[in-house]
Amino acid sequence: MNTPLVSIIITTKNEAKNIENCLISIQEQSYSNIETIVVDNASTDKTKEIARQYTDKVYDKGPERSAQRNYGMIDIAQGKYVMFIDADMSIEKNLIAECVNSFTTQPDLAGVFIPLRWIGNNWIIKAKGFEREFYDATCLDAVRFIPKKLVEQIKGFDERMYACEDWDFDKRIRALGKTATVSALMYHHEDENINLSEYLDKINYYTKNVDIYLNKWGKNEPDIKKQFGLYYRYFGVFIEQGKWKKLLRHPILAFGMYWLRFLVGVKYIMRSKG
C-alpha cells in the first residue's frame, strides 16, 4: 500500500498552553507516515521544550508566520504532501488519511480544504465559530493540504503578509488545479477568557496589513470583491446553497455572529479612515 510521507508544519510563538494538544492530535492520527515540523518564532515560554517531547524537528524562524510556514514547507519538509496548522488547533484522527486518499483517487488535485470548527463556551468563540461554519471551501477559506511541488512552484506564502496570506496562497494554488474537501475536521481552540476588547484589538492588528493583499490583486478582482464586499461577507456566504436554513435553526448564534461582524466592520472602517 502506497503511504507517501506527509509533512505537517506548526507555526508557534509562546504557545506552551496549546502546543501539546496539537501535537497529540497529530501523534494519534490513523495515518502513520507523518513528519511533524515545529517552526517557532522566538518563544520565551516552554513551547519548544514541549514540542521536542514529540518531534526532533523544532526550528527557529521569523518574523511572522508566512516566513515560518515557507521555511517549514519548502526548506525543511521532506514529504510528498505538506499541511500547515496553527499551534492552537487540533485535528480529527482520520484527517490525514482522508487528505491522502483524496489525492490517491484524484491525482490531479491542487489542494484540499479542511473544515474548521471553533471550540469554546465564550460567546465570542461561539459566534465566531458559527460564522466560520459557513466559510467551508469558499473564497473565505483556504486549502491547507497541498503537494509540496506545487508549494515550491508558487514559492509558498507571500512573506510581506501576515494578514490575508492564506487567501493569497489559496488563490495561487487554486489557479493550478482542482480542489476537494474532506469530512474530517480541524478544531480551533480559542482562549476561553478572551473578551470583546481583546478580540477587536487582535482583529485590528491584522487589518493593518490588509492593504498589501488588496494592492497585489486589485479591489475589482472577483474574490476580493467577495472577501471585502458588504453583500457577500454579511449576506451572500450565509444564504448560498441553502445555508440560510442554518441561520433559522440557530437564531441566537446568528444574532451573536452578526453583532460581532458589525463590531469588526466598524473597527475596520475606523482604521481605514485613520
Side-chain angles (χ1 to χ4, degrees), residues 10 89 102 115 206 211 216 219 234:
I10 310 169
M89 294 177 175
S102 295
Y206 289 109
D211 288 345
K216 180 175 182 176
K219 295 183 179 180
Y234 282 83

Side-chain angles (χ1 to χ4, degrees), residues 1-26:
M1 184 177 180
N2 182 26
T3 55
L5 179 64
V6 174
S7 302
I8 301 181
I9 290 79
I10 310 169
T11 53
T12 60
K13 184 177 178 65
N14 293 331
E15 291 285 358
K17 64 181 179 181
N18 293 312
I19 185 66
E20 187 165 32
N21 186 50
C22 178
L23 290 164
I24 289 173
S25 74
I26 295 171

Side-chain angles (χ1 to χ4, degrees), residues 163-164 206-215 228 268 271:
C164 304
Y206 289 109
T207 58
K208 295 175 183 178
N209 190 246
V210 165
D211 288 345
I212 295 175
Y213 176 66
L214 293 175
N215 292 334
F228 293 91
Y268 179 75
R271 187 204 68 83

Side-chain angles (χ1 to χ4, degrees), residues 123-142:
W123 81 268
I124 295 172
I125 299 172
K126 286 184 175 182
K128 182 61 182 175
F130 183 67
E131 176 186 349
R132 186 59 181 76
E133 291 180 22
F134 292 85
Y135 290 0
D136 293 347
T138 69
C139 66
L140 303 179
D141 198 359

Side-chain angles (χ1 to χ4, degrees), residues 53-72:
Q53 296 175 24
Y54 294 86
T55 177
D56 59 355
K57 297 183 178 181
V58 180
Y59 304 90
D60 294 290
K61 184 70 177 178
E64 287 284 354
R65 62 189 179 191
S66 290
Q68 289 175 271
R69 288 171 177 169
N70 284 347
Y71 184 69

Side-chain angles (χ1 to χ4, degrees), residues 81-84 95-96 98-104 106 109-115 137 141-147 169-170 173-174 178-184 186:
Y81 303 108
V82 294
M83 173 182 161
F84 60 93
L95 191 145
I96 301 302
E98 285 192 28
C99 289
V100 172
N101 185 62
S102 295
F103 280 94
T104 301
Q106 304 176 75
L109 288 180
V112 169
F113 289 101
I114 301 171
D141 198 359
V143 292
R144 283 185 176 270
F145 192 98
I146 319 100
F169 177 84
D170 175 74
I173 287 292
R174 282 191 287 113
K178 300 186 301 181
T179 60
T181 304
V182 293
S183 60
M186 172 182 290

Side-chain angles (χ1 to χ4, degrees), residues 163-202:
C164 304
E165 78 285 351
D166 49 351
W167 288 349
D168 172 73
F169 177 84
D170 175 74
K171 286 172 64 60
R172 290 181 288 123
I173 287 292
R174 282 191 287 113
L176 302 179
K178 300 186 301 181
T179 60
T181 304
V182 293
S183 60
L185 301 177
M186 172 182 290
Y187 298 102
H188 177 84
H189 303 266
E190 183 59 88
D191 182 1
E192 286 282 0
N193 296 316
I194 191 169
N195 58 44
L196 186 57
S197 177
E198 290 171 338
Y199 178 76
L200 293 177
D201 285 344
K202 185 176 180 180

